[in-house]
Amino acid sequence: MLSNPDAADESRPQVRPKAEGWTQPTAEDGRPLLQFKQPRVAQPKTHLADLTLSEREAKVKELGLPGFRAKQLSTHYFTHFTSDPEKMTDLPAGQRDQLVDQMMPPLLTEVRRLTTDNGDTVKFLWRLFDGALVESVLMRYPGRVTLCVSSQAGCGMNCPFCATGQNGLTRNMSTAEIVEQVVRANEVIAAGGLGGLRKDGGHNAERVTNIVFMGMGEPLANYKRVIASVRRMVDPAPEGLGMSARHITVSTVGLVPAINRLAAEGIPVTFALSLHAPDDELRDELIPVNSRWKADEAIDAAYNYYVQTGRRVSIEYALIKDMNDHAWRADLLAKKLNARGRGWVHVNPIPLNPTPGSIWTSSEPDVTDEFIDRLNAAGIPTTLRDTRGKEIDGACGQLAAEGDDEEAADGSVTPKGSSRGGTSESIDLRA
Ligand code: SAH
């Protein structure tokens, strides 16, 4: 039993987090294994999106070509979303292939594309140069288009409720591999591949407007490459995609030193902490990294992010039936957040999405409502996350990058008819 004194009032059971249907790898001390370092270090060849514009110019000059070609290439990539030399008619025919070969090595091969929500949600499965698989989920909403990107192939954080962690960490994605997910999504949108135009007066964005680092991987465990990719997303064209940093959300399981570093970075991205339990007794089991940094330390780091950047932060909380959804936990969470100040945070509960082998379920609607009401009543703005893509295993925690679907000649795939999955606004791209 959890020993919170208030828990005694609760008639509801306390389910303990235990991996079901798979075995969580453990370290020598018997605790769930945490992998901070990638086992394989091979990275793809350098792509122009790995470099700043002046680095690109230097590289083009090294190839014996005029430096301004770098800007032209960058415009093709970041403005027209093309890597096809045939389309680069402003470049001399004799230089195009060499420039593309040297500056734009192929990074992502589309293996499969699944579509749901009348075409408004698309999940991509990509193969990287070394065969590693990752996913991204693209979602059209009124007023915005959100892409949930992956930052690692696999994940080393070993959270028992998330599909992505089940096979451990394969490797960090490179800066350009992260950015390329956005460029390829933009290419698909431009080709009409994301739903129809809205008829409800909503905005018809023709490119990705919002990014969430909520796909596969722990972004702050791949810190340098993730930050460089964020810079490329916000750099004005043709250096980058010219997106707004406020529309980019970095979500973490709670790597405290990296959160503090992010706060000092000077890029006003939106920050999200995957808390999932306010008490260490439960969080120790639910989020293995809690053995390093406790719930209070993670909340302090989130608060520090707000203080340093002025950006309101978000707390993610997957509601799991009889595990972390007790009313006293809503009260304890509110108390801990209010103890640090007012107006600095909002809570984003997510109904748990099923993962392979899991016997846990999402909270009952009345329990979910009470959890949210208690937080709101305590002055903490709380909104349930809209979940999308369950039927294509594209929701939070469901990304597992399995290449087992039947593939048509055109690369399109028919969903397996699985009832799992959904892509939440915050997106679930675990694999
Ligand atoms: N590693 C980062 C980003 C990836 S996950 C992080 O942990 O924040 C994006 C969000 O989905 C996280 O809040 C994560 O805890 C949540 N999540 C994972 N598995 C889930 C599941 N099965 N159902 C609902 N949300 C889940």
Side-chain angles (χ1 to χ4, degrees):
M1 285 295 288
L2 293 186
S3 55
N4 187 298
D6 298 339
D9 316 329
E10 291 262 354
S11 51
R12 291 185 34 235
Q14 172 65 60
V15 171
R16 306 302 299 254
K18 246 175 82 227
E20 301 285 347
W22 64 292
T23 310
Q24 251 184 319
T26 48
E28 279 165 16
D29 61 4
R31 291 201 283 210
L33 183 70
L34 291 168
Q35 291 170 274
F36 288 97
K37 292 229 158 65
Q38 54 180 350
R40 278 201 263 153
V41 291
Q43 289 278 308
K45 284 192 207 146
T46 303
H47 183 280
L48 63 81
D50 289 304
L51 307 172
T52 62
L53 190 54
S54 58
E55 289 167 341
R56 289 170 215 163
E57 281 162 4
K59 193 165 172 203
V60 166
K61 283 186 199 154
E62 276 171 31
L63 298 173
L65 299 171
F68 65 85
R69 298 285 179 228
K71 206 164 179 181
Q72 290 175 301
L73 271 183
S74 301
T75 301
H76 283 296
Y77 189 68
F78 288 112
T79 308
H80 307 308
F81 319 125
T82 187
S83 306
D84 178 1
E86 298 294 311
K87 295 192 178 139
M88 303 182 183
T89 48
D90 57 336
L91 298 175
Q95 289 175 15
R96 280 183 220 164
D97 287 347
Q98 186 196 1
L99 277 165
V100 170
D101 266 9
Q102 296 296 317
M103 303 296 291
M104 303 162 113
L107 297 172
L108 305 183
T109 305
E110 188 174 334
V111 178
R112 183 170 73 210
R113 192 187 298 188
L114 298 177
T115 299
T116 186
D117 297 325
N118 292 321
D120 279 349
T121 301
V122 179
K123 181 173 87 163
F124 299 94
L125 174 66
W126 306 107
R127 184 180 299 110
L128 309 183
F129 84 103
D130 56 355
L133 296 171
V134 298
E135 293 180 311
S136 356
V137 182
L138 181 61
M139 292 157 282
R140 188 189 285 284
Y141 290 90
R144 66 186 189 282
V145 171
T146 300
L147 184 71
C148 179
V149 296
S150 293
S151 56
Q152 297 182 310
C155 185
M157 296 297 108
N158 212 349
C159 300
F161 55 95
C162 176
T164 305
Q166 294 192 7
N167 291 315
L169 174 64
T170 302
R171 71 165 166 90
N172 287 324
M173 291 175 73
S174 71
T175 296
E177 284 172 330
I178 298 169
V179 173
E180 168 99 344
Q181 295 171 76
V182 190
V183 172
R184 296 291 288 274
N186 282 337
E187 188 187 11
V188 168
I189 298 166
L194 179 64
L197 295 183
R198 307 197 67 90
K199 297 188 180 70
D200 58 4
H203 154 90
N204 284 307
E206 283 174 27
R207 48 186 288 177
V208 173
T209 57
N210 294 55
I211 306 261
V212 292
F213 278 85
M214 296 188 188
M216 297 171 66
E218 166 49 46
L220 297 189
N222 185 16
Y223 189 88
K224 272 172 56 183
R225 297 180 189 91
V226 164
I227 294 302
S229 74
V230 169
R231 293 199 186 281
R232 220 82 326 130
M233 291 165 194
V234 303
D235 288 338
E239 182 145 22
L241 285 160
M243 299 180 67
S244 154
R246 290 158 185 270
H247 293 165
I248 298 174
T249 300
V250 175
S251 174
T252 178
V253 77
L255 310 190
V256 166
I259 299 170
N260 293 333
R261 202 170 154 195
L262 182 68
E265 204 68 58
I267 318 175
V269 294
T270 299
F271 175 76
L273 171 67
S274 297
L275 191 65
H276 305 311
D279 54 308
D280 287 325
E281 196 158 4
L282 178 58
R283 197 170 192 268
D284 277 342
E285 295 183 9
L286 206 49
I287 307 287
V289 85
N290 207 61
S291 61
R292 299 281 181 97
W293 300 285
K294 295 295 168 194
D296 280 310
E297 295 173 86
I299 298 170
D300 282 340
Y303 179 66
N304 174 57
Y305 189 86
Y306 165 77
V307 170
Q308 299 248 333
T309 63
R311 306 274 306 135
R312 193 169 76 156
V313 308
S314 176
I315 301 279
E316 293 160 281
Y317 201 107
L319 284 168
I320 311 174
K321 186 177 177 182
D322 295 335
M323 192 178 297
N324 65 354
D325 60 355
H326 306 82
W328 69 263
R329 286 204 164 89
D331 296 342
L332 180 61
L333 176 58
K335 191 172 149 198
K336 288 192 170 195
L337 300 179
N338 281 331
R340 271 106 178 153
R342 293 280 173 158
W344 67 277
V345 64
H346 74 277
V347 175
N348 211 198
I350 317 158
L352 183 81
N353 293 306
T355 56
S358 167
I359 59 161
W360 307 346
T361 43
S362 57
S363 303
E364 299 294 342
D366 57 330
V367 171
T368 303
D369 289 348
E370 182 173 6
F371 197 89
I372 293 172
D373 289 348
R374 286 195 178 225
L375 282 156
N376 277 318
I380 308 285
T382 303
T383 43
L384 192 66
R385 185 184 294 175
D386 156 39
T387 290
R388 275 211 197 173
K390 278 199 197 162
E391 50 296 324
I392 54 172
D393 282 354
C396 290
Q398 296 189 313
L399 300 189
E402 284 159 355
D404 58 354
D405 278 301
E406 208 178 298
E407 200 172 331
D410 62 355
S412 69
V413 177
T414 331
K416 291 177 280 192
S418 134
S419 60
R420 293 192 283 117
T423 295
S424 76
E425 209 283 271
S426 17
I427 301 161
D428 306 336
L429 304 180
R430 294 28 172 342

